[in-house]
């Protein structure tokens, strides 16, 4: 079956090489990877392990940076439900980038988009999710002086003139072709891309967007119109989508609980979900597994360790070899994944408990937040 990737839908098993061709992005080559690591004076698990696999113009952003022109970062979240561990991936990566490149960061919460997109959504429910998600985002620990988190419905008055200028440059044919909108798409959705594009123009400097690849269609449209409006084409760093618990077809989806581990899941829930649903690359029987070994390319527990067993490359290699050779059984691999995910969630939830004060800074009181509230994009 062919696969499909849009900002709202992922089906089939994504072939990332094909996707690079379809979207017209560029691979992160080993050369670019080592340039990033040397400019950042350090490495990050998502860069090292090819989770961040593709980009638009990040090579240019890096050249500019090395010549003293800083870039700013922009990412976001659509609060359609509770956040799952897949949503944490771009946030963790963004934190690394912010620290490594000392960059301003804007985080857009698209409460408007999710109300418009989900037919059964109420504005009250979306607001509750937005506030809950913001706590999860704050728990990641961005720089309070250099981070602005905003909800569209609340900040829109400040950016509306900019949104208008963007909207005037984009016609219906373009969004129909890029996003697959049809005659029955509601008109809020049709004009929404102008709102997601606006933060790429919050500064005259180059914007760099760390996000998973599903959001790229917006950046394609931005790059067609930015220079006409007096801004730079945005750069982007694309991450692969974390596989659903149930297997390599499709992504982890917040609307299908059996495919996802939520940040709020208890250790027991994590244990039970992984034991019951985690798609295994192991053989039918123990005897066969010992003889033939497992397939780490499709095994979800292994895929997740690839993302989250961050510090220890040699330990990951040992697990890969042991599983492939049949020395390690599926149950044993699942236990390792359960321990790792539970450790991640324990740390996250501890940070979340003390994040309320940080939220206040990111949204209203921090240096960048105050600057943004005093500004209108006329
Ligand atoms: P949303 O809420 O669908 O996703 C938030 C971020 O998580 C990424 N993502 C995933 N990453 C790994 N594995 C997954 N299974 C997975 N599912 C989602 C998304 O790529 C995204 O980075 N419209 C956006 C909100 C938004 C935004 C932005 C996102 C506004 N401005 C700028 C990124 C950059 C949305 O609904 O994202």
């Amino acid at each position: 079956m062919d696969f499909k990737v849009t900002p709202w839908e992922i089906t089939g098993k994504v072939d990332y090489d094909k996707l690079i061709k379809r979207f017209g992005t560029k691979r992160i080559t080993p050369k670019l990877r080592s340039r990033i690591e040397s400019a950042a004076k350090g490495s990050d698990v998502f860069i090292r392990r090819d989770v961040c696999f593709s980009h638009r113009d990040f090579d240019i952003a890096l050249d500019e940076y090395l010549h003293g022109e800083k870039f700013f970062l922009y990412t976001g979240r659509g609060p359609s439900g509770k956040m799952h561990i897949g949503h944490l991936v771009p946030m963790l990566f963004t934190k690394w980038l912010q620290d490594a490149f000392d960059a301003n960061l804007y985080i857009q919460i698209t409460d408007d988009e999710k109300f418009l997109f989900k037919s059964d959504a109420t504005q009250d429910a979306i607001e509750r999710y937005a506030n809950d998600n913001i706590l999860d985002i704050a728990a990641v620990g961005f720089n309070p002086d250099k981070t602005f988190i905003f909800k569209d419905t609340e900040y829109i008055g400040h950016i509306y003139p900019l949104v208008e200028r963007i909207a005037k440059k984009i016609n219906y044919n373009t969004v129909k072709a890029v996003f697959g909108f049809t005659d029955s798409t509601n008109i809020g959705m049709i004009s929404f891309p102008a709102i997601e594009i606006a933060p790429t123009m919050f500064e005259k400097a180059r914007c760099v967007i760390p996000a998973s690849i599903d959001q790229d269609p917006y950046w394609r449209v931005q790059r067609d119109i930015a220079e006409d409006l007096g801004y730079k084409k945005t750069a982007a760093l694309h991450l692969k989508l974390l596989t659903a618990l149930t297997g390599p077809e499709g992504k982890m989806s917040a609307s299908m609980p059996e495919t996802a581990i939520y940040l709020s899941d208890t250790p027991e829930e994590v244990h039970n979900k992984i034991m019951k649903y985690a798609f295994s690359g192991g053989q039918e029987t123990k005897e066969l597994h010992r003889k033939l070994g497992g397939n780490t390319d499709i095994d979800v527990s292994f895929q997740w360790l690839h993302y989250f067993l961050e510090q220890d490359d040699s330990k990951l290699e040992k697990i890969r070899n042991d599983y492939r050779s049949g020395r390690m059984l599926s149950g044993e691999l699942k236990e390792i994944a359960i321990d790792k995910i539970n450790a991640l969630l324990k740390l996250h939830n501890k940070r979340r408990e003390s994040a309320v004060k940080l939220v206040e800074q990111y949204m209203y009181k921090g240096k960048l937040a105050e600057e943004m509230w005093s500004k209108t994009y006329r």
Side-chain angles (χ1 to χ4, degrees):
M1 192 184 84
D2 196 17
F3 66 92
K4 186 175 168 191
V5 175
T6 77
W8 302 285
E9 190 189 14
I10 313 244
T11 52
K13 180 168 170 29
V14 182
D15 177 330
Y16 287 101
D17 287 320
K18 274 195 190 149
L19 197 58
I20 284 180
K21 288 213 181 84
R22 261 188 220 174
F23 279 9
T25 66
K26 289 201 190 120
R27 229 190 195 289
I28 303 235
T29 58
K31 189 170 158 222
L32 179 56
R33 186 174 304 132
S34 51
R35 283 192 66 211
I36 296 172
E37 289 173 339
S38 106
K41 299 191 180 68
S43 179
D44 176 69
V45 63
F46 301 128
I47 290 277
R48 224 166 49 233
R49 301 217 180 122
D50 203 35
V51 173
C52 177
F53 72 108
S54 148
H55 74 108
R56 287 188 188 270
D57 284 354
F58 191 68
D59 44 354
I60 296 177
L62 210 52
D63 287 341
E64 291 168 346
Y65 174 83
L66 294 170
H67 286 98
E69 274 179 61
K70 285 173 79 169
F71 54 79
F72 69 96
L73 296 164
Y74 159 46
T75 195
R77 158 74 182 149
S80 53
K82 293 189 287 184
M83 278 175 53
H84 59 56
I85 55 171
H87 297 130
L88 204 53
V89 172
M91 294 297 166
L92 294 170
F93 183 51
T94 302
K95 168 160 169 65
W96 179 75
L97 287 167
Q98 180 180 48
D99 290 346
F101 294 97
D102 190 31
N104 279 349
L105 164 64
Y106 303 90
I107 302 182
Q108 181 179 42
I109 307 297
T110 54
D111 49 356
D112 48 350
E113 174 200 8
K114 293 301 160 179
F115 173 68
L116 291 164
F117 178 69
K118 285 187 78 177
S119 54
D120 58 346
T122 63
Q123 286 174 317
D124 282 351
I126 297 291
E127 278 326 288
R128 276 197 299 277
Y129 285 131
N131 296 333
D132 174 80
N133 291 180
I134 289 169
L135 266 178
D136 283 320
I137 294 169
V140 173
F142 298 106
N143 180 337
D145 281 334
K146 294 194 170 219
T147 302
F148 178 47
I149 303 181
F150 63 100
K151 292 190 266 190
D152 282 344
T153 57
E154 193 173 70
Y155 192 62
I156 192 72
H158 293 253
I159 61 172
Y160 197 63
L162 176 61
V163 171
E164 278 185 304
R165 294 198 289 280
I166 295 167
K168 200 170 176 176
K169 288 270 173 217
I170 306 171
N171 62 35
Y172 180 46
N173 266 336
T174 302
V175 292
K176 221 163 53 171
V178 173
F179 298 100
F181 293 155
T182 66
D183 286 354
S184 55
T185 305
N186 71 56
I187 60 171
M189 284 301 292
I190 290 167
S191 63
F192 172 74
I195 296 177
E196 185 152 334
I197 288 171
T200 65
M201 300 174 190
F202 275 4
E203 296 183 16
K204 288 281 176 180
R206 174 114 28 213
C207 175
V208 170
I209 305 167
S212 298
I213 185 91
D214 58 320
Q215 299 294 314
D216 184 73
Y218 291 105
W219 323 142
R220 219 181 306 158
V221 177
Q222 192 274 4
R223 290 166 55 83
D224 282 345
I225 62 167
E227 289 177 346
D228 272 0
L229 290 170
Y231 295 90
K232 291 189 174 182
K233 288 185 181 194
T234 189
L237 285 166
H238 303 117
L239 300 156
K240 292 177 185 166
L241 292 147
L242 189 71
T243 322
L245 194 50
T246 41
E249 301 258 316
K251 66 161 183 169
M252 181 171 285
S253 165
S255 53
M256 289 185 285
E258 73 280 10
T259 69
I261 299 282
Y262 297 101
L263 299 178
S264 57
D265 280 350
T266 63
E268 293 71 37
E269 282 169 325
V270 171
H271 182 272
N272 293 343
K273 280 188 189 176
I274 292 183
M275 279 304 179
K276 187 160 171 202
Y277 296 117
F279 187 85
S280 164
Q283 306 293 341
E284 291 284 302
T285 64
K286 195 170 157 184
E287 289 67 37
L288 263 182
H289 188 89
R290 293 273 188 226
K291 204 163 129 201
L292 302 173
N295 183 349
T296 46
D297 294 337
I298 56 168
D299 190 285
V300 170
S301 302
F302 186 80
Q303 291 304 315
W304 288 10
L305 287 174
H306 187 78
Y307 279 69
F308 296 115
L309 194 68
E310 72 276 20
Q311 257 126 28
D312 207 336
D313 291 345
S314 57
K315 190 167 168 195
L316 188 73
E317 271 328 290
K318 183 168 176 354
I319 294 171
R320 188 198 305 272
N321 291 334
D322 285 355
Y323 192 62
R324 290 192 91 94
S325 68
R327 271 195 302 277
M328 181 182 283
L329 298 172
S330 292
E332 294 167 311
L333 179 58
K334 284 188 174 191
E335 290 292 353
I336 299 173
I338 290 167
D339 285 350
K340 187 65 224 176
I341 300 293
N342 275 335
L344 174 81
L345 295 190
K346 189 171 169 200
L347 184 67
H348 175 81
N349 285 304
K350 190 160 170 268
R351 289 183 177 151
R352 190 183 136 107
E353 278 169 24
S354 50
V356 179
K357 247 178 94 188
L358 279 172
V359 168
E360 187 67 12
Q361 289 206 297
Y362 295 138
M363 296 189 75
Y364 309 105
K365 294 267 166 20
K367 195 161 155 261
L368 185 61
E370 283 197 344
E371 210 178 285
M372 292 304 285
W373 280 104
S374 69
K375 219 184 227 180
T376 301
Y377 283 89
R378 291 224 167 263

